[in-house]
Amino acid sequence: MSWVIVAIVTTAVASTSVSARGQYVAGKIQKQEMKRQAEQEKLAAQSQELQRRQDLNQALAANIVGFGQMGIAGEGTPASIALEGAKQASTSESALGLSAKLRQAQLIRQGKNAKTMGAYGAASTILQGASQLASLVASPSGGGGGGGE
């Protein structure tokens, strides 16, 4: 009969260990995925910033060519207007860059939280398994006295 108890205890310990390890690994994998996603966001933001700068440069160049064709010199009010447009575009780029950085930071935080929750889940599983094991050891017959009729 004692070999049955040993088998039950061994099975409970193995099951608890596998479940706890699975939760820990799942949290770790989710953290890695969030970090990878944050890197993708960073690359996408850099690509978008480069595209916006190219568009701005093309617009400024078109303005300069247009002013030149109209016989307006590239100084004074037209130049001031172009400079103001460039400043506004720069402010817009800064805001978009900040937004992208905030998204990246959020993804990294979510990944760290996922890893922590995986570790907590693993610890919880181990404690539940230990509790069940203690219950099994405390009552090896599986049910107490049976009633005594």
Side-chain angles (χ1 to χ4, degrees), residues 1-148:
M1 193 63 148
S2 68
W3 64 271
V4 173
I5 295 170
V6 171
I8 292 171
V9 169
T10 303
T11 302
V13 168
S15 173
T16 299
S17 298
V18 169
S19 180
R21 178 70 180 157
Q23 288 177 340
Y24 177 77
V25 169
K28 198 171 179 182
I29 288 171
Q30 191 172 2
K31 178 185 177 189
Q32 291 171 349
E33 177 61 25
M34 292 292 184
K35 188 174 181 181
R36 184 190 63 76
Q37 191 175 349
E39 283 296 318
Q40 286 180 337
E41 288 278 337
K42 181 179 178 181
L43 291 174
Q46 289 172 345
S47 176
Q48 290 172 352
E49 181 180 347
L50 179 61
Q51 183 62 45
R52 283 191 302 270
R53 287 180 187 226
Q54 288 175 346
D55 292 345
L56 175 62
N57 287 340
Q58 287 176 347
L60 291 174
N63 286 343
I64 291 170
V65 169
F67 289 144
Q69 288 177 347
M70 293 186 316
I72 300 173
E75 51 191 53
T77 303
S80 298
I81 293 170
L83 180 60
E84 188 60 33
K87 285 181 184 178
Q88 288 177 354
S90 177
T91 301
S92 174
E93 286 176 7
S94 296
L96 291 172
L98 177 61
S99 176
K101 286 180 183 177
L102 289 173
R103 278 194 310 272
Q104 293 166 24
Q106 180 185 13
L107 288 170
I108 290 170
R109 277 192 308 275
Q110 286 176 342
K112 287 179 181 178
N113 288 342
K115 182 179 178 186
T116 301
M117 293 309 294
Y120 287 159
S124 173
T125 299
I126 289 171
L127 291 174
Q128 286 175 349
S131 173
Q132 290 173 351
L133 183 59
S135 295
L136 287 173
V137 170
S139 61
S141 62

